[in-house]
Amino acid sequence: MENNCGITCIIPFYNEGDRIFPVLEVVTALGAFDQIICVDDGSEDDTLARIRQRWPRLTVMRMPENQGKTAAIKRAVQAVESPYVMLMDADLRNLEPNELAQIVRMIGTCPDVDMLIFRRLNAEWFVRMNRADVLLSGERILRTADLRAVLAGPVDGFQLEMAINEYMWKHQKEVCWVPWSAKNTYKMDKRGPVDGFLKDVMMYADILQYIGVISFVRQMAGFARKPLRGKPVLT
């Protein structure tokens, strides 16, 4: 597959072990990206060394210590030269290569769209109930200039997706979602039910502290409500 609009794929990871390898297998096989950047956010396992051994041509960076997803992406963006960036989580399951290839092609045929969010259609009910399947989706394609503008602000920790949404809303950017069948691995599956639940609570507390309850509700009510034109609304 070839892409003519120029996209860099950024995949941050932290202690993901084997989970990142199916993601990289799909992403690297597409041949769709100007560059693929993996950022190790201070992992304590050997994932970084294994990636370097298996994919020596990938751009791999390492944070000196665990600083969170936002800091890892901020580091990666410094090396981006393409006009678009695709952000992708490292713990995705059930990736369909043809589905991803179709989504990547879409951005090249829709120059009026500033961001595509991959809506996680197979998310659990407790994720869909507050539209986190869209608002907090870690998979999205947006203009590099817009991402840099967001990262230039006071954004940190778990705040990145909502910060991007808020920036797009305030600057009246055109944002659509596309159906996405891949599933992410929940924190409770990685860390156990207690620690995973506490991490989720910390995530939402971090998000609410950043944007406030009113902005959070506003995003739930009105942000990224429409699918990309010509695509059916799947629920």
Side-chain angles (χ1 to χ4, degrees), residues 211-223:
I211 67 168
V213 174
I214 293 176
S215 293
F216 184 82
V217 172
R218 185 184 64 187
Q219 285 195 26
M220 284 179 56
F223 184 76

Side-chain angles (χ1 to χ4, degrees), residues 102-103 106-107 110 112-121 131 133-134 173-180 222-235:
Q102 182 182 19
I103 293 172
M106 288 176 186
I107 199 69
C110 302
D112 57 321
V113 175
D114 297 296
M115 181 168 70
L116 284 180
I117 297 177
F118 301 13
R119 180 184 177 191
R120 294 172 172 174
L121 298 181
R131 296 192 64 229
D133 56 325
V134 173
K173 301 284 186 173
E174 182 70 15
V175 178
C176 300
W177 60 261
V178 289
W180 178 235
F223 184 76
R225 276 290 183 181
K226 60 183 180 181
L228 188 65
R229 62 171 181 260
K231 303 304 292 181
V233 178
L234 304 178
T235 58

